[in-house]
Amino acid sequence: MAMNDRRSFLKMTALAGAFSSNSLFRQAHAADWEAASRSVDHLGAAEAAQNEDYWSVIQRGYSVSPQIINLNNGGVSPAPIVVQQAVERYNQMTNEGPSYFMWQILDQGREPLRQKLARLAGTSAEEIAIDRNSTEALNTIIYGIPLKAGDEVVGTKQDYPNMMNAYRQRAERDGIVYKQISFDFPVEDVDTIVKAYEQAMTPRTKLVHITHMVNWVGQLMPAQQIADMAHAHGAEVIVDGAHSFGLMDFKIPDLHCDYFGTSLHKFLSAPIGSGMMWVKKDKIEKIWPLTCYGDPRSSDIRKFEALGTRSFPIEQGIGEAINFHEAIGSKRKQERIFYLKNYWATRVKDVPGVKLHTSLDPRFSCAICGVSIEGVPPRDLMNTLFDRYKIHTVSIDYEKIHCIRVTPHVYTTIADLDKFVSAMGEIAASKKA
């Protein structure tokens, strides 16, 4: 094959990849998934969430270890097999000649990916930047937004530490005032939450930071209502969507925010080390990029992607993760994971000594739920669950929150949750004995 023909062939292969009708997802799952979907198409999303035959088909798309029950999907989720295969396939291609295959071939895949992410997010592709995680996305905005000494930012003590530390660094470096309110979760009243933010605001408040789904215990915050209130007071709004994007059925404009950042390796199940940032088009120009760029005042969203050498295979993997997600459907996926969370939570909540730290109301929660046993420190509970039952969770001891965090995903089986419920009952009983 002539060199030009080979180059064209390779470029077509790379561009086809996750963004074509012949994607790895289509090759692996088209027939089985279409049949499974037809079996539940007549059902509402909430009813389909309980159809174990359908979800068993989805579960087979993962390669999770049978040696442990992983209930810490809030930290990072496993990628489906087709996502792993995409990364491996294009990583192998890259290493056949990195500087050629990366920049001449695979780099052509970013624009189709940007379009695909924009459709999922409900935004313009010219507002989407592809990066490595929520911290990078949100820190880009936090460090890049023009604030001066005395300007105020309102957030909470339950926001993610990397974001709180970014504001503290700006306070130390630039003299901004970082104000934090605090909640006793769960809170099941929108007005109570909105008023708490509003009471912290003054005429000097320039920015309000909202964690859409609080990582510690999964409290879902009323982002739209907080944003509307903040805008009425002349402040801009940044939303941390690390745990909501790819889980909840929403579009970014629904939140009425100005800036949004997320990790794609959580509920979207994209490759580890993938993220996304959204900036409203008319605000891109004023945000300084986190890394250097030739024209930092450009209104081109791509100025935030000047990372130097990066993983192009991961970008193909993101595309396959979106294929996997869209084949399930956002609403159906949200309802399934909410059902799984409530399945175990309703079964342990009345066990003597057990306490839930998260709402069971779909307006205020979805996947993540905190739970504790009276008299058992969270770390001890986490260790007992793993050492005795091989159930993996994470302990939380932070700002009024003392529990373990439990987070199922679409690959989690009812049998796994039954084992968890049984384990919690045994541990609680042994403590009472």
Side-chain angles (χ1 to χ4, degrees):
M1 184 182 293
M3 179 58 71
N4 287 341
D5 290 341
R6 174 172 168 75
R7 179 176 175 178
S8 296
F9 170 76
L10 290 170
K11 187 171 291 188
M12 288 175 61
T13 300
L15 289 175
F19 314 108
S20 76
S21 59
N22 196 38
S23 66
L24 290 178
F25 172 81
R26 291 288 302 172
Q27 294 174 41
H29 298 301
D32 288 347
W33 280 45
E34 286 170 4
S37 291
R38 284 195 297 272
S39 72
V40 296
D41 278 347
H42 65 290
L43 302 176
E47 293 176 281
Q50 301 179 48
N51 187 299
E52 298 307 319
D53 289 338
Y54 170 79
W55 292 102
S56 70
V57 175
I58 309 304
Q59 290 155 5
R60 291 197 292 271
Y62 287 85
S63 61
V64 294
S65 172
Q67 304 303 315
I68 66 171
I69 295 174
N70 179 23
L71 294 179
N72 184 22
N73 293 283
V76 61
S77 297
I81 295 168
V82 292
V83 175
Q84 299 174 48
Q85 289 173 337
V87 175
E88 291 165 4
R89 173 180 179 180
Y90 291 103
N91 189 57
Q92 183 176 3
M93 174 189 283
T94 294
N95 283 286
E96 291 177 7
S99 65
Y100 173 74
F101 289 107
M102 284 169 56
W103 293 312
Q104 298 297 320
I105 306 298
L106 291 180
D107 197 19
Q108 309 305 310
R110 185 170 305 122
E111 294 311 313
L113 174 58
R114 195 186 314 280
Q115 294 284 344
K116 203 173 184 77
L117 283 167
R119 286 193 297 272
L120 182 61
T123 70
S124 164
E126 295 304 312
E127 298 173 316
I128 295 290
I130 302 158
D131 54 31
R132 293 171 290 190
N133 51 52
S134 299
T135 293
E136 182 173 66
L138 296 165
N139 275 208
T140 296
I141 299 161
I142 293 167
Y143 289 136
I145 192 167
L147 296 172
K148 62 183 183 300
D151 287 346
E152 296 178 359
V153 174
V154 173
T156 81
K157 291 183 177 180
Q158 288 79 33
D159 292 326
Y160 193 69
N162 287 355
M163 314 319 154
M164 293 190 288
N165 288 335
Y167 289 119
R168 289 169 184 146
Q169 186 167 312
R170 284 218 65 176
E172 184 175 342
R173 187 181 69 187
D174 301 319
I176 72 165
V177 177
Y178 178 39
K179 301 171 71 173
Q180 292 178 278
I181 57 178
S182 186
F183 291 98
D184 287 311
F185 294 134
V187 181
E188 296 184 324
D189 183 75
V190 170
D191 288 342
T192 296
I193 297 172
V194 175
K195 286 177 181 176
Y197 280 88
E198 187 169 28
Q199 288 169 0
M201 298 183 68
T202 76
R204 301 208 67 171
T205 303
K206 304 299 181 185
L207 184 66
V208 172
H209 183 102
I210 306 167
T211 301
H212 193 193
M213 180 173 287
V214 176
N215 74 291
W216 309 106
V217 289
Q219 171 81 35
L220 187 62
M221 303 295 268
Q224 181 189 104
Q225 292 91 332
I226 299 169
D228 288 345
M229 177 277 298
H231 287 147
H233 287 276
E236 293 185 304
V237 175
I238 179 171
V239 169
D240 178 346
H243 291 86
S244 60
F245 191 79
L247 168 64
M248 306 295 295
D249 181 31
F250 72 95
K251 301 299 184 184
I252 293 175
D254 296 340
L255 306 182
H256 297 184
C257 58
D258 303 288
Y259 311 98
F260 181 93
T262 189
S263 292
L264 303 177
H265 52 240
K266 296 185 186 290
F267 289 102
L268 190 62
S269 289
I272 296 169
S274 58
M276 183 190 81
M277 179 176 70
W278 173 82
V279 179
K280 190 177 288 186
K281 181 62 178 174
D282 62 357
K283 298 182 184 295
I284 294 172
E285 184 176 355
K286 75 174 185 178
I287 303 296
W288 292 89
L290 189 62
T291 56
C292 59
Y293 191 74
D295 180 10
R297 289 307 194 187
S298 170
S299 60
D300 188 341
I301 194 71
R302 294 159 190 80
K303 74 180 183 181
F304 301 115
E305 297 175 349
L307 301 177
T309 304
R310 60 194 291 160
S311 174
F312 297 101
I314 281 180
E315 295 179 358
Q316 287 285 336
I318 297 170
E320 292 291 358
I322 297 173
N323 292 337
F324 196 93
H325 172 89
E326 291 182 332
I328 298 171
S330 294
K331 183 62 174 176
R332 186 180 292 171
K333 181 177 178 180
Q334 173 182 327
E335 290 288 351
R336 171 62 174 183
I337 299 178
F338 176 76
Y339 167 71
L340 292 175
K341 186 265 290 183
N342 273 21
Y343 178 90
W344 73 260
T346 55
R347 284 161 175 77
V348 303
K349 70 181 180 69
D350 294 325
V351 173
V354 172
K355 177 183 177 181
L356 295 181
H357 298 254
T358 305
S359 173
L360 299 181
D361 187 327
R363 296 173 300 165
F364 300 103
S365 70
C366 184
I368 298 170
C369 187
V371 63
S372 61
I373 295 177
E374 184 181 356
V376 183
R379 181 164 291 276
D380 290 352
L381 179 55
M382 175 188 73
N383 289 337
T384 300
L385 283 166
F386 190 79
D387 294 343
R388 194 179 300 172
Y389 305 95
K390 292 297 178 281
I391 297 173
H392 174 55
T393 60
V394 63
S395 64
I396 306 292
D397 263 310
Y398 174 79
E399 279 295 330
K400 305 180 183 180
I401 302 171
H402 307 286
C403 62
I404 61 166
R405 187 182 72 185
V406 178
T407 314
H409 206 312
V410 293
Y411 68 84
T412 305
T413 66
I414 294 297
D416 290 340
L417 297 178
D418 286 338
K419 290 176 183 176
F420 173 67
V421 170
S422 177
M424 289 291 288
E426 290 178 13
I427 297 169
S430 68
K431 186 64 182 175
K432 291 292 183 182

